Amino acid sequence: MLRLLTAAALIIFTMPLQSFEASKKEMPFDFKVMPQAGTETMEIELLLRNTANYPLSFEFRTSQFYEVNILNQNGEMVYSSSEGKAFLQAIHTIAVKPDEFKVWKEQWDYRHNGKRVNEGEYIVKARLLASNLNGKELETKAESEASVYIPGQNPAFRHVKVTGENGLYSVSIEGRPKNGKLWYTVEDGHNELLPEKGVSALSNNWENYNIKVSIPADKLPENGSVILHLYEKSHNDGHIINSFPVILERR
């Protein structure tokens, strides 16, 4: 009888202890990496969101808050967010209220050792470098991972630069249309904002093109992106080839 009572006591006091240990390992926040591959650059967003019902204070030992690494299919690192950068060796604190979030952004031009990487699937890995949370040491670092497909280099368009906002934009780009003409339209992902227009080329070599875009205010989307689609047309059947989307503005 005494043995049964002892065993019951162990069960009563052990179960809450295990539950407490498990709850300590649950992080009261989300950390995600969200890469978006464009034609010439990759936009990388890192989101830190407070999922608790109380404020969170993240402490960092330096001014480096995160690390982003990109690996190819062979596991070789082709990009590091910290490479070539110097960070302030001092304590930094970031406070995040319940249901609020902090966003960081990185950009990569697809170049590694001076050359553009090959087309294909890549892995983006991110790590939050906070050392303490609400005054207590973080035993494990929050990590996030995502796969992304990097497109091959466009043979007809490259080196795009965009300026402007609110319907007035200037696009500078190098082009090499094989059939002597490039074409473009402007849309918001759902609706056409400007109809198709053509621009004649002077030669078959790389040239600089400057495209002015003007969109009436009543046509602009309240939320979303304004996108310029550059392309060539096939000489044989007039089909669109070498499409090159350019984001003019995110609204």
Side-chain angles (χ1 to χ4, degrees), residues 77-95:
M77 188 167 66
V78 295
Y79 172 80
S80 168
S81 61
S82 61
E83 184 176 357
K85 297 179 182 177
F87 299 97
L88 185 63
Q89 302 298 307
I91 299 296
H92 288 72
T93 302
I94 291 178

Side-chain angles (χ1 to χ4, degrees), residues 43-186:
E43 302 287 341
I44 306 166
E45 285 194 350
L46 299 106
L47 187 145
L48 174 63
R49 185 170 71 91
N50 183 350
T51 58
N53 58 3
Y54 51 87
L56 297 178
S57 179
F58 296 86
E59 186 177 290
F60 301 81
R61 292 192 175 97
T62 72
S63 59
Q64 183 185 9
F65 301 140
Y66 57 83
E67 175 70 22
V68 176
N69 294 321
I70 302 177
L71 294 80
N72 62 20
Q73 293 179 344
N74 297 323
E76 300 168 335
M77 188 167 66
V78 295
Y79 172 80
S80 168
S81 61
S82 61
E83 184 176 357
K85 297 179 182 177
F87 299 97
L88 185 63
Q89 302 298 307
I91 299 296
H92 288 72
T93 302
I94 291 178
V96 187
K97 296 178 181 179
D99 292 325
E100 289 190 344
F101 54 86
K102 169 71 177 177
V103 176
W104 295 283
K105 293 183 179 181
E106 287 284 325
Q107 189 179 78
W108 178 41
D109 62 1
Y110 300 143
R111 301 188 73 80
H112 175 57
N113 292 334
K115 297 181 179 180
R116 182 179 171 119
V117 298
N118 295 327
E119 178 180 1
E121 199 82 22
Y122 288 77
I123 299 296
V124 182
K125 294 185 176 183
R127 192 180 193 203
L128 184 69
L129 300 182
S131 58
N132 291 278
L133 176 61
N134 286 3
K136 295 183 179 180
E137 184 178 358
L138 279 173
E139 297 178 2
T140 57
K141 304 295 184 186
E143 297 181 342
S144 180
E145 182 177 309
S147 62
V148 62
Y149 191 89
I150 294 178
Q153 190 164 14
N154 193 295
F157 304 103
R158 67 183 186 186
H159 301 166
V160 62
K161 293 181 180 178
V162 178
T163 58
E165 60 182 355
N166 298 326
L168 297 176
Y169 313 97
S170 178
V171 181
S172 172
I173 192 169
E174 290 185 19
R176 186 176 58 181
K178 294 180 180 179
N179 297 322
K181 199 168 188 178
L182 61 86
W183 304 82
Y184 69 91
T185 61
V186 180

